[in-house]
Amino acid sequence: MFDSVPDGAAQFEDRDIDAVYADYFRRVREIAATGLVDCLAHLDLIKIHGHRLSGEIGSLINETLDLIRARNLAIELSTAGWRKPVNELYPSDSIIVLAMNKNISFTTASDAHSHAQLGDKFPILAQRMATLGIQQVCVFEKHNRTQLPL
């Protein structure tokens, strides 16, 4: 009766992963350019099922991070990825390091879909942030950013 829309890993079958990544980050840049957001969440959600670019992600993400920096947006560090098949922080350490080199601010979130997920894996996130050298996070209230030391 209705064609079902594939979900999960099936949506990546028979697709050029590099093209999917390029399209995904193009759309992230479109969102960033709208001026409607203060922070970008799940920056590399595209990796959710473990699919990776065949090449280096640096040039693809650098263009996105340059726009994020130019718009003075923050990037969310989300523990949700540790609950997904990829079992990895959103965004990856390599993206975080690139963002740090561009002086992009970070927020934190657990992307809780229930009360049981509130603050999920925050102790692990705190350790990761310390290891990476992140010394502050930002919070927003009515689009006003405040930097908080860790």
Side-chain angles (χ1 to χ4, degrees), residues 108-125:
T108 59
S110 54
D111 189 28
H113 290 221
S114 75
H115 70 281
Q117 295 174 338
L118 287 172
D120 185 40
K121 307 231 184 313
F122 267 35
I124 298 168
L125 176 59

Side-chain angles (χ1 to χ4, degrees), residues 12-22 53-54:
F12 292 93
E13 289 179 14
D14 300 322
R15 295 186 68 193
D16 177 346
I17 298 302
D18 288 0
V20 172
Y21 264 77
L53 284 169
S54 62

Side-chain angles (χ1 to χ4, degrees), residues 73-90:
L73 302 176
I75 295 172
E76 178 186 273
L77 303 179
S78 175
T79 61
W82 282 319
R83 295 192 307 267
K84 305 298 180 185
V86 72
N87 193 28
E88 188 178 293
L89 181 67
Y90 293 136

Side-chain angles (χ1 to χ4, degrees), residues 57-106:
I57 194 170
S59 62
L60 181 60
I61 195 63
N62 263 317
E63 182 180 355
T64 305
L65 292 175
D66 286 343
L67 179 61
I68 290 168
R69 181 67 219 137
R71 294 291 184 155
N72 196 29
L73 302 176
I75 295 172
E76 178 186 273
L77 303 179
S78 175
T79 61
W82 282 319
R83 295 192 307 267
K84 305 298 180 185
V86 72
N87 193 28
E88 188 178 293
L89 181 67
Y90 293 136
S92 66
D93 289 355
S94 61
I95 293 175
I96 294 170
V97 170
L98 288 170
M100 290 173 67
N101 290 337
K102 295 177 184 293
N103 295 314
I104 294 173
S105 297
F106 299 103

